[in-house]
Amino acid sequence: MSALLLLAVRVLIAVGLYAFLGWAFWSLYQDLLVHSRSLSLEALPKLLLKVQGEALPRVYQQVEVLVGRDIGCDLRLADSTVSGYHARIAYRQGHWWLEDLNSTNGTFLNRTRLSEPVVLAIGDEIRCGQTQIFIENLS
């Protein structure tokens, strides 16, 4: 009888130990996720966009900026020639990229119509519909 009791105690201790280790690793994993997200947001450069006719540039520090007329866009343009979701400016591979979202009138970068995503540089001119947007800073 004591051998059976000893076996049960050993099994309970082993299960408790594995449960503790599982909880500890899960807690470490969650903590690493939180810290990696905060570090990635700190490393994200600021994007300054100057919209034609506005006095001050708009500052963005997010991974993606949607441009268009729709209320869900980050950069809303009050221009009837701009599509609801016209273009996307996204930070990938250490650079800011501009991409047309199959807009009706097209997206232009420095007077060239986009057919694929392109890397942006300071001083670039984006045209969505009749509205011009200037890249003032990418850092």
Side-chain angles (χ1 to χ4, degrees):
M1 181 69 174
S2 64
L4 191 58
L5 182 62
L6 185 60
L7 179 64
V9 169
R10 286 182 179 174
V11 168
L12 285 175
I13 290 174
V15 167
L17 180 62
Y18 282 116
F20 173 76
L21 287 174
W23 171 80
F25 284 126
W26 178 255
S27 295
L28 286 172
Y29 175 72
Q30 293 298 321
D31 193 44
L32 284 174
L33 281 179
V34 168
H35 286 297
S36 68
R37 287 182 188 139
S38 67
L39 288 175
S40 67
L41 288 177
E42 290 174 10
L44 191 65
K46 290 182 182 174
L47 173 67
L48 271 70
L49 301 176
K50 175 101 169 51
V51 178
Q52 169 190 8
E54 293 183 4
L56 297 173
R58 298 185 190 190
V59 180
Y60 298 94
Q61 191 169 11
Q62 56 200 54
V63 175
E64 179 179 272
V65 177
L66 291 173
V67 180
R69 276 190 335 210
D70 193 85
I71 195 164
C73 291
D74 303 301
L75 176 54
R76 289 188 62 203
L77 302 175
D79 181 350
S80 61
T81 60
V82 173
S83 298
Y85 288 94
H86 197 96
R88 173 187 298 127
I89 301 172
Y91 189 73
R92 295 188 305 256
Q93 302 166 346
H95 298 285
W96 287 100
W97 293 75
L98 175 65
E99 174 184 6
D100 182 61
L101 298 177
N102 297 320
S103 61
T104 305
N105 295 320
T107 302
F108 293 81
L109 179 64
N110 301 325
R111 300 181 187 193
T112 304
R113 188 175 182 140
L114 295 182
S115 58
E116 59 186 25
V118 294
V119 175
L120 292 173
I122 295 173
D124 280 346
E125 174 189 322
I126 301 168
R127 186 167 57 83
C128 297
Q130 299 299 318
T131 304
Q132 292 177 329
I133 304 165
F134 302 95
I135 308 296
E136 292 201 346
N137 194 0
L138 299 171
S139 60

